[in-house]
Amino acid sequence: MSLKPSEHQVAGHMKGGTAATLVDNEGKFYKPLQEGPRGAREYEFYETVKGNSMQEKSSKKECTGTLQTFMPTYYGSTTIDGVKHIIVQDINFGYDKPSCLDLKIGFRTWYEAPWNSDDWISNRKAKDEREGLTQLGFKLCGMNLWLQSEGRYWKQERDYWRSLATREPVVEELRRFACNGSGLAAREIYGPALSQLEAISRWFETQEEYCFYGCSVLMTYEGAAVAAEDLKVSCKLIDFAHSFGGQQQKDMNFLGGLRSVMSLIKEAADI
Ligand SMILES: Nc1ncnc2c1ncn2[C@@H]1O[C@H](COP(=O)(O)OP(=O)(O)O)[C@@H](O)[C@H]1O
Ligand SMILES: [Mg+2]
């Protein structure tokens, strides 16, 4: 089995100039775990979800079963060149030219925990404020947009995305994402995307088991599509280094952020 750096990584950690994540040719995605507790937590979260899905208690099993449909399928872990990687479904697999958007959800990425120092929390607070999360309830971490009419990808550096901290430019970028130049209307992409986000939001309205800080919705569609039925729109939750089970309360931070994304998407697509 041959592994290669993921061509379609839109945000997150890099290794030198290339993506830190790997893909094989069978539809699996390999994410290196960061050193120390942060990496271990993402692995633990996937394991917790897997464990809860096999539980006897039916309410937890059902709640977790639904969550799993929003996450990439989990295949365990492996060690590559001495570094532990989690193995999950490659969301881009099966697309010719995937267009991807990484939306980090929530009004804040920080939370009180024994492993989070006061410095970490105050840095996060400042960053969330600076990058617009505090005001908008989410941020655009990155976008790979296939322009079918020009036969190339449109991408920007990380600093470009960091500077979009207010409503108008964010709506403008959401509008941009839904236009691949082949004449399809934004609503052809955002209609199906909103149905999926609606299902996620309905789950958050009732579940009291899990909380998600710094978690993203990865939105993907077929950039090379010229007809609406070929778009294959997908919205999946990714990035669980600060996600936990056993909460016993609703995650209003994520739910509020998700509602805000949905409302700005409606504005962008005129729905
Ligand atoms: N399961 C997946 N399939 C395909 N691409 C993915 C998957 N998970 C993450 N990615 C890509 O990798 C990027 C970084 O992933 P993420 O889990 O957010 O890592 P980090 O912890 O470095 O932020 C995402 O923006 C997305 O482009
Ligand atoms: Mg990320």
Side-chain angles (χ1 to χ4, degrees):
M1 178 188 56
S2 68
L3 294 175
K4 53 174 193 180
S6 167
E7 279 178 76
H8 303 295
Q9 185 180 324
V10 282
H13 293 79
M14 304 292 283
K15 194 169 152 191
T18 44
T21 55
L22 303 166
V23 290
D24 65 15
N25 46 16
E26 298 168 356
K28 293 200 174 79
F29 180 88
Y30 299 72
K31 179 175 172 181
L33 296 183
Q34 291 172 62
E35 276 179 30
R38 189 168 162 195
R41 278 200 306 268
E42 180 154 34
Y43 170 70
E44 271 161 32
F45 185 72
Y46 272 109
E47 286 290 322
T48 302
V49 168
K50 185 174 147 189
N52 286 348
S53 73
M54 296 188 290
Q55 267 219 352
E56 293 296 312
K57 207 168 148 241
S58 69
S59 59
K60 206 182 238 185
K61 191 185 169 91
E62 198 186 314
C63 162
T64 304
T66 306
L67 170 61
Q68 283 177 314
T69 67
F70 305 142
M71 295 169 65
T73 311
Y74 175 57
Y75 300 109
S77 67
T78 186
T79 300
I80 302 164
D81 297 334
V83 178
K84 188 167 170 177
H85 287 61
I86 48 169
I87 313 172
V88 295
Q89 168 199 354
D90 177 9
I91 295 167
N92 296 309
F93 190 72
Y95 290 85
D96 179 13
K97 302 289 180 196
S99 282
C100 322
L101 176 64
D102 182 321
L103 299 154
K104 191 172 286 233
I105 313 291
F107 291 89
R108 62 182 168 106
T109 58
W110 61 271
Y111 54 100
E112 309 265 0
W115 55 86
N116 287 336
S117 66
D118 291 347
D119 270 359
W120 184 86
I121 292 179
S122 56
N123 282 339
R124 283 293 178 130
K125 278 185 182 166
K127 193 167 185 245
D128 293 349
E129 183 83 34
R130 203 168 57 235
E131 296 183 359
L133 272 92
T134 321
Q135 301 79 17
L136 295 176
F138 71 99
K139 78 166 177 182
L140 303 181
C141 293
M143 179 194 298
N144 284 357
L145 173 65
W146 177 256
L147 300 172
Q148 176 64 9
S149 47
E150 298 177 30
R152 66 176 178 98
Y153 270 104
W154 180 90
K155 296 179 187 181
Q156 294 291 333
E157 296 298 324
R158 197 175 295 224
D159 283 349
Y160 177 88
W161 300 108
R162 284 190 176 143
S163 69
L164 296 175
T166 52
R167 190 184 171 91
E168 274 317 308
V170 167
V171 172
E172 220 24 73
E173 293 301 336
L174 289 172
R175 230 171 249 138
R176 181 202 300 277
F177 181 65
C179 183
N180 71 347
S182 69
L184 291 169
R187 65 177 60 217
E188 308 278 17
I189 290 149
Y190 285 141
L194 282 166
S195 320
Q196 294 175 45
L197 297 178
E198 191 64 54
I200 298 176
S201 129
R202 276 198 303 274
W203 179 79
F204 270 93
E205 278 161 20
T206 54
Q207 73 87 20
E208 300 195 339
E209 177 63 24
Y210 300 99
C211 79
F212 302 81
Y213 291 100
C215 172
S216 290
V217 165
L218 185 65
M219 198 184 287
T220 310
Y221 71 88
E222 177 53 71
V226 288
E229 56 272 25
D230 299 327
L231 281 168
K232 297 194 285 187
V233 179
S234 144
C235 295
K236 291 276 183 197
L237 301 181
I238 58 159
D239 205 352
F240 305 104
H242 301 279
S243 295
F244 309 95
Q247 295 304 299
Q248 300 180 323
Q249 60 178 356
K250 290 200 174 77
D251 185 349
M252 296 312 291
N253 178 53
F254 191 100
L255 178 57
L258 188 60
R259 286 179 174 152
S260 170
V261 168
M262 291 164 70
S263 123
L264 266 62
I265 283 178
K266 285 181 187 158
E267 187 176 326
D270 233 349
I271 295 178

